Amino acid sequence: MFIKSIKLSNIRNHNETNAQFSPGLNIIYGLNGVGKTSLLEAISLCSLSKSFLPVPDAALINKFKDFLFVRCDAVNSLGIEYFVKLQYPKSQKKTFSNSYGDNQLPKNIIGEMPVVILSPDHKNLTFGAPEDRRQFLNTILSQSSKKYIDHVLKNKKYLKQRNKLLSDKKQNIKIDMNLLQILTDMFIESSAEIVIARKIFIEIFEVYFTKVYREISGDKERVRLKYAPYGLSGVELKKEKITDRYKEYFIDNLEDEFKRGTTIFGPQKDDMKIYINDGLSKQYASQGQHKSLLISLKFAEFFFLQDVKNETPIILLDDIFSELDAKRSEKVLNYIRTNNAQTFITVTNAEYINKFVTPSDDCFYFHIDAGEIKGVEK
């Protein structure tokens, strides 16, 4: 899949920006703070329904404006045209339209234009908190499975309502215990579905990950992934077994939940362990190994989505070449070139990328300054 063009209004420091893109490499260059990343955020809004950065939606709207607008026009691998449009008035809800109709929910947008994103913020994936790896799992699975999105949305709703009751109880506010039981049952049901989906995914994804890492590292180390569902150690990960264990956990820890005022079990506490040479990457990997692990996870994501969606994902690389040495930079660009993926790269200095771009590459250069495209070179 590739994006032919984008039109956006009032995203951060962009007022009105229109661009037509190469189906190959699109290099977006300029000084820091001029609006390079904002262009990638606009693409993320059209593919994931939100920015890839951990910011509230309202922060994306230009502070001097009262609405945000984006439209992407794309073509899939079968040559079928696809568009997605987002309108977001300040203090109101985002509204989406796409080739399949108006008033689409965000879950109907996710996965239609698959993307793989790598930015410096993602480096926490290999040595940060479990939350970083859960977000990684949710992003891939949401793009590959509408059913998974439904389970996650229901689970979040039940968790929020359940936590409200527990918080009230902590404050000595009388709660409906029957309602708590009903919410707990629904929370456990959706939680079990999420656990099963994650288990199956990690088993499949590990094959992609280990293959890419061997190619990236020169087969110097052994890597593997392990799913660590919270509170389910030693439990056979089948739905009946999972729900039974969660129910036991609920009964055994209810008083503790009342004291804390929050839910203390469930997939919102899961982790995906990353091992290198049988040691946890967050404890034993060198700086260079962390970079190789991260690149491998992201290209494994690319190949997984490509196979599951039968569509080539779009790649967004936000300022990552400032983090990589020349050898790893060349490997990344060779992967992109070999797999014919449309790619958007932000850099402060385009000369660095030029060392790896050949005359045969279909490459556009966009010079960004003060929220505007000042020039386009092909």
Side-chain angles (χ1 to χ4, degrees):
M1 194 161 207
F2 73 92
I3 299 171
K4 295 193 302 180
S5 62
I6 194 168
K7 179 178 181 180
L8 59 99
S9 302
N10 307 329
I11 293 185
R12 298 196 188 271
N13 62 345
H14 286 261
N15 289 317
E16 296 287 339
T17 296
N18 296 277
Q20 293 183 326
F21 298 124
S22 163
L25 287 176
N26 296 274
I27 298 170
I28 302 161
Y29 69 97
L31 299 176
N32 290 326
V34 298
K36 304 187 302 296
T37 298
S38 303
L39 196 55
L40 301 194
E41 286 184 289
I43 296 172
S44 180
L45 283 167
C46 290
S47 56
L48 300 178
S49 81
K50 61 183 181 180
S51 171
F52 60 89
L53 297 177
V55 296
D57 291 336
L60 300 174
I61 303 176
N62 186 307
K63 63 182 179 180
F64 300 110
K65 304 293 182 179
D66 57 8
F67 75 97
L68 173 156
F69 172 87
V70 191
R71 175 174 173 138
C72 276
D73 286 272
V75 179
N76 70 15
S77 59
L78 298 176
I80 300 172
E81 295 193 351
Y82 170 81
F83 84 86
V84 59
K85 182 172 65 175
L86 161 65
Q87 298 181 83
Y88 181 28
K90 189 175 290 186
S91 302
Q92 297 183 38
K93 289 185 177 181
K94 295 179 291 188
T95 60
F96 291 92
S97 302
N98 68 5
S99 297
Y100 309 120
D102 295 331
N103 299 315
Q104 297 283 345
L105 295 172
K107 69 177 184 178
N108 301 129
I109 300 299
I110 298 169
E112 296 300 327
M113 191 169 73
V115 294
V116 174
I117 304 169
L118 180 55
S119 78
D121 284 353
H122 289 126
K123 62 187 178 183
N124 289 336
L125 183 55
T126 61
F127 62 78
E131 180 182 0
D132 299 303
R133 290 177 288 281
R134 286 196 300 272
Q135 181 61 44
F136 176 73
L137 292 174
N138 284 339
T139 299
I140 303 178
L141 281 163
S142 294
Q143 289 197 87
S144 61
S145 170
K146 299 293 186 185
K147 186 177 179 181
Y148 183 82
I149 299 176
D150 286 335
H151 290 314
V152 167
L153 291 176
K154 289 177 183 177
N155 192 259
K156 285 182 177 180
K157 181 177 72 172
Y158 302 146
L159 179 64
K160 182 178 180 180
Q161 293 172 337
R162 192 174 189 276
N163 283 343
K164 175 63 169 63
L165 289 179
L166 295 173
S167 177
D168 286 348
K169 180 67 174 178
K170 181 181 180 182
Q171 299 173 60
N172 296 317
I173 299 172
K174 186 177 180 180
I175 66 171
D176 185 337
M177 291 299 294
N178 288 329
L179 177 58
L180 177 62
Q181 183 65 62
I182 291 169
L183 287 172
T184 299
D185 290 342
M186 292 190 294
F187 174 70
I188 287 173
E189 177 75 15
S190 59
S191 295
E193 295 287 357
I194 291 171
V195 168
I196 291 168
R198 288 175 176 174
K199 170 188 176 290
I200 294 171
F201 165 74
I202 289 175
E203 289 174 350
I204 296 170
F205 185 74
E206 185 181 39
V207 177
Y208 289 86
F209 171 61
T210 55
K211 180 178 183 296
V212 175
Y213 191 84
R214 284 196 302 269
E215 296 171 354
I216 292 288
S217 68
D219 204 16
K220 294 178 181 178
E221 300 106 8
R222 291 173 290 106
V223 294
R224 62 186 176 93
L225 303 175
K226 181 182 179 182
Y227 182 35
Y230 187 86
L232 296 174
S233 178
V235 176
E236 185 180 8
L237 296 185
K238 293 185 177 180
K239 188 171 182 179
E240 184 179 350
K241 301 290 187 181
I242 296 167
T243 55
D244 285 348
R245 182 66 189 96
Y246 277 151
K247 287 174 183 177
E248 291 173 3
Y249 207 98
F250 163 59
I251 294 169
D252 294 343
N253 296 275
L254 183 57
E255 289 302 319
D256 195 15
E257 288 192 312
F258 285 157
K259 290 178 182 177
R260 298 190 191 189
T262 190
T263 301
I264 62 173
F265 70 98
Q268 77 280 4
K269 293 178 173 291
D270 288 355
D271 197 0
M272 179 182 72
K273 307 287 188 180
I274 304 169
Y275 290 89
I276 182 165
N277 292 333
D278 295 322
L280 278 173
S281 66
K282 64 188 299 181
Q283 296 175 351
Y284 295 103
S286 67
Q287 185 178 14
Q289 287 170 332
H290 276 296
K291 292 176 180 179
S292 293
L293 287 167
L294 179 57
I295 293 168
S296 300
L297 285 167
K298 283 296 175 176
F299 274 103
E301 178 183 359
F302 172 85
F303 292 122
F304 174 82
L305 287 174
Q306 187 176 48
D307 286 348
V308 171
K309 302 291 294 183
N310 198 27
E311 183 67 69
T312 302
I314 296 160
I315 298 176
L316 310 183
L317 303 177
D318 184 32
D319 194 31
I320 69 156
F321 291 98
S322 62
E323 303 280 332
L324 302 179
D325 55 37
K327 184 178 179 180
R328 289 184 176 86
S329 297
E330 186 173 12
K331 283 184 178 292
V332 167
L333 288 168
N334 282 339
Y335 257 118
I336 291 166
R337 189 178 293 114
T338 302
N339 291 282
N340 298 316
Q342 184 184 38
T343 305
F344 295 82
I345 299 173
T346 65
V347 290
T348 54
N349 185 353
E351 293 300 319
Y352 180 80
I353 297 296
N354 288 343
K355 294 186 290 185
F356 309 107
V357 175
T358 65
S360 61
D361 291 323
D362 191 357
C363 185
F364 287 11
Y365 290 80
F366 298 85
H367 179 209
I368 305 288
D369 188 28
E372 294 183 12
I373 297 176
K374 296 295 186 179
V376 180
E377 302 172 17
K378 303 178 182 179

